[in-house]
Amino acid sequence: MQLRRAVARLRPTAREPFLKLQAFPAEQAQVDWAHFGQVAVGRARRTLSCFVATLSWSRALYLEFFFDQTMENFLRGHVHAFDEWSGQPRIILYDNLRSAVLERRGNEIHFNPRLMELCAHYHFVPRPCQVRAGNQKGRVERAIRYVRESFWAGRSFTTLAECNRQALLWRDQVAHRRNWPGDDTRTVGDVFAEEQPRLLPNPRILSQLIWSSLCGRRRRSMSASISTIIRSRPKAVGRQLTLVASDTQVRILEVPRRSPATSALTTVISWCWIRLIGKRF
């Protein structure tokens, strides 16, 4: 027994080799959710999650806090990140979370169809990591740890909007001013300024499909409110309308009668500005 212990100490341990992954500018981003415990909201306690996206080459960050990890917030985080970056990378790397992957059997992957709709609109390719291979998305994992240690520690806020305002301010004043891992003489912000023109340009308009995806679950009182708005405009009665919505706006559109039903041309019937955030429908 003592001989075996001595040999075990002297025998070299087998370590799994890892290949350092390199990315070209504007080629790849990595996205993941991070849990930040619970916070008090009035008399209730809500679970707080953070959507984190980082560009693999420049390490530029986007982070946004939500009270849940619904598919709507997952898509909304992408859209807001692309708006902040004024573009999007060609590939986005995910963990095998349900918002991205519904089912996986070996290399056969069934992606979430709502994520695929977003990919088709913004022209990027989703790519999931291998199962139990978190090292493949190490950049976003390190970014989450950096957010916990540099931003979240000792942070106080009163509303979710205030928390997100502080997060973006911290990103611009602290995270993007840190040294870039590839060259200590440059900052993350400097490298992002070089990478940003190489990103794919954002679509000029947000498609109706994505607007609807960001709307969330339909609820009775919300449907009743929309019906009241439509009845208030007599010209809209009896016409085929399309409702598209985001987290801050609701649009009611009409397909022109002379054009085919599949035509993408629409005429705006009414703009309804409804604050969905903070209201219960």
Side-chain angles (χ1 to χ4, degrees), residues 161-174:
E162 174 65 17
C163 178
N164 284 321
R165 188 193 67 80
Q166 293 183 26
L168 295 180
L169 189 64
W170 166 85
R171 180 202 61 182
D172 295 337
Q173 296 183 353
V174 178

Side-chain angles (χ1 to χ4, degrees), residues 31 51-55 61-64 75-89 92 122 171 192 199 202:
V31 167
F51 173 90
V52 181
T54 180
L55 293 172
L61 275 175
Y62 178 77
L63 67 161
E64 186 171 358
L75 298 177
R76 190 174 292 118
H78 284 77
V79 174
H80 293 172
F82 299 157
D83 288 342
E84 284 285 331
W85 294 338
S86 298
Q88 62 273 354
I92 296 186
Y122 282 96
R171 180 202 61 182
F192 173 66
L199 294 171
N202 285 334

Side-chain angles (χ1 to χ4, degrees), residues 130-143:
Q130 296 294 329
V131 179
R132 294 185 295 275
N135 59 290
Q136 295 182 359
K137 58 180 183 67
R139 287 176 173 84
V140 71
E141 295 290 347
R142 287 191 292 271

Side-chain angles (χ1 to χ4, degrees), residues 12-280:
T13 57
R15 296 183 178 180
E16 183 181 0
F18 292 97
L19 180 65
K20 186 177 180 180
L21 301 177
Q22 298 288 349
F24 292 105
E27 177 192 13
Q28 184 194 91
Q30 298 181 10
V31 167
D32 202 1
W33 283 109
H35 295 274
F36 281 81
Q38 292 185 336
V39 295
V41 180
R43 298 182 179 179
R45 296 193 64 82
R46 300 287 300 275
T47 300
L48 191 65
S49 299
C50 184
F51 173 90
V52 181
T54 180
L55 293 172
S56 298
W57 188 68
S58 66
R59 306 304 202 277
L61 275 175
Y62 178 77
L63 67 161
E64 186 171 358
F65 288 87
F66 297 98
F67 282 137
D68 52 47
Q69 297 183 10
T70 59
M71 191 65 195
E72 291 75 34
N73 286 337
F74 189 65
L75 298 177
R76 190 174 292 118
H78 284 77
V79 174
H80 293 172
F82 299 157
D83 288 342
E84 284 285 331
W85 294 338
S86 298
Q88 62 273 354
R90 289 150 180 82
I91 299 171
I92 296 186
L93 195 63
Y94 301 97
D95 199 351
N96 290 275
L97 68 169
R98 292 285 296 178
S99 299
V101 178
L102 294 181
E103 185 179 6
R104 181 167 187 164
R105 296 183 180 180
N107 293 327
E108 302 297 326
I109 301 171
H110 180 199
F111 286 100
N112 192 308
R114 297 179 65 184
L115 176 63
M116 296 306 295
E117 293 170 359
L118 188 78
C119 296
H121 184 67
Y122 282 96
H123 307 291
F124 69 89
V125 177
R127 182 172 296 173
C129 299
Q130 296 294 329
V131 179
R132 294 185 295 275
N135 59 290
Q136 295 182 359
K137 58 180 183 67
R139 287 176 173 84
V140 71
E141 295 290 347
R142 287 191 292 271
I144 291 173
R145 183 175 60 187
Y146 180 57
V147 171
R148 294 185 190 278
E149 296 175 354
S150 179
F151 170 73
W152 185 251
R155 182 70 53 176
S156 61
F157 56 91
T158 55
T159 63
L160 186 63
E162 174 65 17
C163 178
N164 284 321
R165 188 193 67 80
Q166 293 183 26
L168 295 180
L169 189 64
W170 166 85
R171 180 202 61 182
D172 295 337
Q173 296 183 353
V174 178
H176 282 189
R177 293 185 181 180
R178 71 188 190 277
N179 293 336
W180 184 53
D183 186 355
D184 291 341
T185 63
R186 306 173 69 188
T187 66
V188 170
D190 296 336
V191 180
F192 173 66
E194 179 182 340
E195 181 180 28
Q196 195 281 325
R198 304 180 186 182
L199 294 171
L200 296 175
N202 285 334
R204 293 184 178 180
I205 59 173
L206 192 61
S207 71
Q208 294 184 24
L209 192 60
I210 303 305
W211 275 73
S212 301
S213 296
L214 296 179
C215 180
R217 297 185 180 90
R218 184 182 63 182
R219 296 170 183 172
R220 293 182 180 178
S221 55
M222 182 177 178
S223 300
S225 300
I226 300 301
S227 299
T228 303
I229 295 173
I230 294 176
R231 287 197 301 270
S232 66
R233 302 186 66 86
K235 294 183 179 180
V237 177
R239 297 186 181 183
Q240 183 178 358
L241 305 177
T242 300
L243 174 68
V244 292
S246 71
D247 56 341
T248 57
Q249 301 175 13
V250 174
R251 293 193 297 173
I252 302 173
L253 309 176
E254 179 194 14
V255 178
R257 294 182 178 180
R258 295 183 180 179
S259 63
T262 57
S263 175
L265 297 177
T266 57
T267 303
V268 177
I269 291 290
S270 173
W271 275 88
C272 311
W273 300 85
I274 300 179
R275 285 289 176 182
L276 301 181
I277 299 177
K279 291 187 176 182
R280 299 185 62 180

